[in-house]
Every structure is written in structure tokens, then in C-alpha cells.
Amino acid sequence: MSARRSLTRILVVLTLPLLGACANLPGDRVQGEVAQTVSARVSRPVDWNAGVPEDRAVRQAVRAMLADELSLDEAIAIALVNNREMRARLARAQVARADLIRAGLLDNPVFGLSLLRDDAGTESELSLFEDFLNVVTLSARKKLAATDLERTRLEVAQSALDLIAEVKRAWYALVADRQAIELFVQVTDATEAAAELARRQYQAGNLSLREQALQQSFHAQSSLEAARAEAAFNADREKLNRLLGLWGEDTAWRLPDRLPDVPDRLPPAPQLENKAVDQRLDLAAQRAEVEAVHLALHYTKQTRWLSAFGIGFTVKRDPDGGTARGPELELGLPLFDRGQARIARLEAQLREAESRYAQLAIDVRAEVREAMGRLAAAHDSVRHYREAILPLAERVVEETLKFYNGMLVGVYELLAAKQAQINAARDYIGVWREFWTAWADLERAAGAALAIPAAAGDATSTQSPAARPEDQGQHQHGDSQ
């Protein structure tokens, strides 16, 4: 009877931690933590607790945003909630959370029962055994799992920022494609009119065959370019559909007519490289990876001599009614495996993680400088088109029209001037798009959203005139990575 009470007490003591741990299973806590991190970086609310794309309320909210013109903010909101790859990454964070819970649990004790029958009767043996090696390493395993969860959380948050940047690039490209198509149509109409006029003049004997063929060639070339622009638009639209997780009737959304206006000046960007090193979540995740491997190496060195360590209790009853009981100990002898291979492996992994962290810090700085350079160049190009190329193209058309009215030039010269003006406008859309693409890339490189400066003359602007980013943030060597 005494043996049974002892066995019961051991069972209760070993089971209590399991019951306590089971009571602390979290819900979507890690999902909320990732949303909070992303929201702080993009300065907009992010909520993944609203449900999955299969939920009716989520589908209705997405379709309500698709009913009108699809703004950039709406595209980002839809992608965050509807992109299945993003959902899969959130699930991976929940897997890491479950691993943390598992790391805080002890292995279940092993209960044994044997019944041996002979002529004298039945001999029974009860045993309860627990591997105490996992008890000794419980704290270390919890710290390692917590570090792994933090790394996973940062990686998932960075993937959300990457998705936002990709949606921005795709949205800007698509709106620019739409604007370019309108200009291609104008060019095609102009060249078609010229080709038709040339055909009639050739039939009337007022134009050579060479001049007619030349006008037809212009029209054929412009038609081909218009077809290519239409194909690029369709491809970019499907790319955005993939990012938004849309299919079927949900893909019939509409776009705004034009890209957002380019600000008159660039945002102030002092010490942007250093800020990027502090803000980039993928760099923080790589730093957590270094810490995790370092911890694993430390704990492995501490427990290298322990290969097996178990404690149990056995109760044995003879056929004649005699009872014997006592503890049981299991201890592994480190004769062959003394943990040298595990330590060597972790030391190599630590060097690998440290090298990757250092390289990523270098890459982050380079990405910021590259994006700032592209943004400044695109901004200069936009200004050059606005202040020089577009006004000059317009003046050429106006002066050619005067010459045409005075019968000093023919209609083909006038059409050519108009076509050159349209081509200049098309190229302007290209640098306009490049500006916003570089803006999205700079935000991604910096690890956070950038405030768009107010337009010149805006009374609400209280900022000082902005300096060019490359004058303030480049080549800051010697600071911490």
C-alpha cells in the first residue's frame, strides 16, 4: 500500500508541470505581435485577426475595396489579408510559437508493468521512469525556442514589408502602363491619318512612292509599339492580381487615371544608412540567428558530458506476497561521443551566421545608397522633363502649326512635330514611374515608410527646404552595423 502511495505521488509531481503548461496555450498572440511590428514600420494599421481570406466578412471587405478605383492603400490592405503566401508565413510564426510551448514541457514519464507467471504464482513489477536530462536542459531549450520565435517573427514581419514594396512597384507600373497606352493610341491615330493622307496623295500623283512607304512604315511601327504596351499592361495587371490573391470576377477592378504627383523636393534623409541598420527587420532576424546559435553552442558545451540521465522508481511484488521497491538510475557514459562533433558543428554555424549578418549589414547600406541615388536621378529627370523637354516640345508644335498655316511646311512636318511631343510625354511617364518605383525601393531599403514632402507653396508645410539625400546620408563609414 505504501508503494502505491509513493508511485502516486511521483506521478502527480511529474504531471503537474504538464497541466500547467497546457493551460497557457496562446491563440493568435504571435500574429498580433507581427501586425504591430509591421504597422509601426508602414505607419498604417495592420490587422490579421480579422480572419482568413475564406471568411465571408473578409471577402466582402475585399470586394468593397475592389468595387471602386483601386487605390494604392487599398491594394496594400488587400494584399496583406488576401495573399496566401503571406498567410503561410504567418502560420510559420505560429509554428514557432508552438515550438516554444513544446520546449517548456517535460517529456512524459514512462510507466512500465510486467507480470511473470510460474508454478509458484504471478510476479508483478511496476516502474515509473523519467528522463531528467530534459529537466536539466529545460531552461536552455526555452531560451533557444524563444530566440527562434523572435527570429521567425522578425522574418515574417520583413516578408510583409517586402510584399508591400512589391505591391507598390506593381501598382505604379500598372498605372504608368495605362497612361502610356493612351499616348500610344494618340501616336497610332496620328500616324494612321498620315498614312491615309499619303495614300490619297500618291494616288493623285502629288507624292512619291518612297514618301508614301515612309508614312506607312511609321504607322506600322507605332501600331506595333501600341500592341507591346497593351501586352505589358496585361502582364503587369496579372502580376498585381497574384500579389493581391485575386481570381475570377474579382480581377475586374479599375485603376486611377494617373500616377501620384511627384513632390517638388525630396524628403530629408539624414543618417538614413544608420537608420536602415537599426530598422531593417531582416537584419534584426539575422542578429537573432547569431544569438540563437551562440546560445546553443554555450549550452551544448555545458551538457556535453550528459548523453543520458534518467531516474525512476520500481515496485516489485513476489508470488508469495513479498514486496520490494527502490529507485532506478540510468546514466550514459561519455566514452565515445563526448559532444565534440556537435560543438564543432555549432562553431561552424556560428561563423556562418556572423558572416551572413555582417554581409547583410553591408548590403543594407549599399541598398540605401543605391535607392537614394536612383530616387535623386529620377527626381532630376522629372524636373528636366517638366521644365525643359515638355515645354520645348509644345513650342515646336506651336511654331510648326504657324508655319503650316502660312503654307511654309506640309502636314507631315506638323504630324511629326506632334508625334515627337507625344513621345516626349511618353518618356516623361517613364521617369515619373521610375521616381515612384525608386521611392518604394528606398522605403524597403530603409526598413520604414518615408513621409512625402508637401508641395512647394503648401502653407501646411513646416519643414525646411530638403537637401538631396545623397548629400546627407552617403558614405558614413565607421558606425556600427
Side-chain angles (χ1 to χ4, degrees):
M1 195 65 184
S2 175
R4 291 181 180 176
R5 284 200 297 270
S6 299
L7 191 60
T8 302
R9 289 169 183 167
I10 294 173
L11 185 61
V12 170
V13 170
L14 294 177
T15 306
L16 280 176
L18 305 178
L19 296 176
C22 290
N24 294 326
L25 286 174
D28 295 331
R29 177 180 170 185
V30 64
Q31 197 164 280
E33 292 173 349
V34 174
Q36 187 176 6
T37 302
V38 176
S39 179
R41 292 295 192 281
V42 299
S43 302
R44 73 175 68 236
V46 177
D47 183 14
W48 280 297
N49 293 321
V52 297
E54 289 73 18
D55 290 346
R56 183 176 180 181
V58 174
R59 291 201 306 271
Q60 289 178 344
V62 169
R63 287 177 177 173
M65 287 187 282
L66 295 173
D68 300 324
E69 285 185 351
L70 183 64
S71 68
L72 180 58
D73 288 343
E74 289 173 337
I76 292 172
I78 293 173
L80 288 176
V81 73
N82 215 40
N83 186 285
R84 269 54 174 187
E85 180 62 27
M86 190 66 245
R87 282 283 171 183
R89 289 171 181 170
L90 285 171
R92 192 179 66 180
Q94 292 173 330
V95 170
R97 169 68 71 181
D99 290 341
L100 173 60
I101 297 171
R102 176 65 186 88
L105 301 178
L106 296 176
D107 288 345
N108 291 330
V110 178
F111 175 75
L113 170 64
S114 65
L115 298 173
L116 302 177
R117 184 182 298 275
D118 58 13
D119 295 340
T122 301
E123 179 184 283
S124 62
E125 181 176 318
L126 301 174
S127 66
L128 188 64
F129 187 83
E130 173 68 21
D131 181 7
F132 266 71
L133 182 60
N134 73 82
V135 177
V136 174
T137 60
L138 178 64
S139 176
R141 287 188 285 111
K142 288 175 65 177
K143 290 181 179 178
L144 286 173
T147 306
D148 186 64
L149 173 61
E150 176 64 10
R151 177 180 59 80
T152 304
R153 185 183 68 81
L154 293 170
E155 288 177 346
V156 173
Q158 178 62 47
S159 66
L161 296 180
D162 292 342
L163 175 62
I164 290 174
E166 199 169 355
V167 168
K168 286 184 176 180
R169 286 192 290 266
W171 189 89
Y172 291 139
L174 199 55
V175 178
D177 287 344
R178 177 175 176 176
Q179 290 182 252
I181 286 176
E182 294 177 0
L183 294 176
F184 275 116
V185 170
Q186 294 181 32
V187 172
T188 303
D189 292 343
T191 56
E192 184 180 13
E196 176 61 20
L197 179 61
R199 185 185 66 80
R200 293 179 181 178
Q201 288 184 332
Y202 172 74
Q203 291 177 345
N206 297 327
L207 196 69
S208 67
L209 181 60
R210 175 183 174 279
E211 292 295 332
Q212 183 203 7
L214 191 61
Q215 297 302 323
Q216 289 177 337
S217 173
F218 289 155
H219 176 55
Q221 184 64 32
S222 62
S223 298
L224 178 61
E225 291 178 352
R228 287 174 175 170
E230 188 71 29
F233 175 80
N234 292 333
D236 287 340
R237 187 180 180 95
E238 290 310 315
K239 179 180 180 181
L240 188 56
N241 275 328
R242 289 196 298 272
L243 293 173
L244 303 186
L246 301 176
W247 75 91
E249 60 182 12
D250 290 339
T251 60
W253 37 267
R254 294 179 292 111
L255 280 171
D257 294 332
R258 61 199 303 269
L259 289 166
D261 291 336
V262 174
D264 294 326
R265 52 193 173 86
L266 294 176
Q271 304 297 322
L272 193 56
E273 281 186 41
N274 292 342
K275 288 183 179 179
V277 171
D278 293 336
Q279 294 175 155
R280 281 281 289 263
L281 297 179
D282 52 349
L283 192 60
Q286 189 59 45
R287 190 184 305 125
E289 172 71 15
V290 173
E291 293 173 0
V293 178
H294 188 272
L295 274 176
L297 178 60
H298 174 69
Y299 291 131
T300 300
K301 288 180 176 178
Q302 284 188 332
T303 60
R304 62 181 302 180
W305 304 108
L306 294 176
S307 57
F309 178 44
I311 297 177
F313 192 84
T314 302
V315 178
K316 184 176 181 180
R317 181 181 295 275
D318 297 332
D320 57 2
T323 302
R325 55 183 175 273
E328 180 182 357
L329 176 66
E330 182 181 81
L331 180 64
L333 299 178
L335 297 179
F336 307 107
D337 182 4
R338 286 169 289 182
Q340 62 271 35
R342 285 176 291 149
I343 291 175
R345 188 174 190 275
L346 287 171
E347 287 176 342
Q349 288 180 333
L350 181 59
R351 291 192 295 273
E352 177 187 4
E354 289 175 340
S355 296
R356 286 183 173 172
Y357 172 67
Q359 183 59 49
L360 183 56
I362 294 172
D363 292 345
V364 166
R365 290 177 179 277
E367 289 174 8
V368 171
R369 292 195 298 271
E370 178 187 356
M372 287 196 300
R374 284 179 50 213
L375 184 66
H379 191 259
D380 286 345
S381 297
V382 169
R383 291 178 57 186
H384 188 64
Y385 267 92
R386 283 179 178 175
E387 298 172 1
I389 296 179
L390 293 181
L392 286 174
E394 184 177 2
R395 180 174 298 176
V396 168
V397 172
E398 291 174 353
E399 295 301 320
T400 305
L401 182 59
K402 293 178 182 177
F403 279 40
Y404 175 76
N405 291 336
M407 302 184 66
L408 297 177
V409 298
V411 66
Y412 299 113
E413 285 81 359
L414 179 60
L415 289 174
K418 185 63 180 176
Q419 183 176 346
Q421 184 188 26
I422 294 174
N423 289 337
R426 185 187 61 193
D427 294 340
Y428 171 63
I429 293 174
V431 297
W432 193 355
R433 164 186 169 175
E434 170 58 21
F435 173 84
W436 285 114
T437 302
W439 184 284
D441 291 342
L442 181 58
E443 287 184 327
R444 194 267 175 194
L450 300 173
I452 299 177
D458 187 345
T460 61
S461 176
T462 57
Q463 299 178 358
S464 60
R468 293 158 62 92
E470 67 271 25
D471 295 334
Q472 304 183 43
Q474 280 190 333
H475 308 299
Q476 296 154 1
H477 301 293
D479 41 4
S480 61
Q481 293 180 345

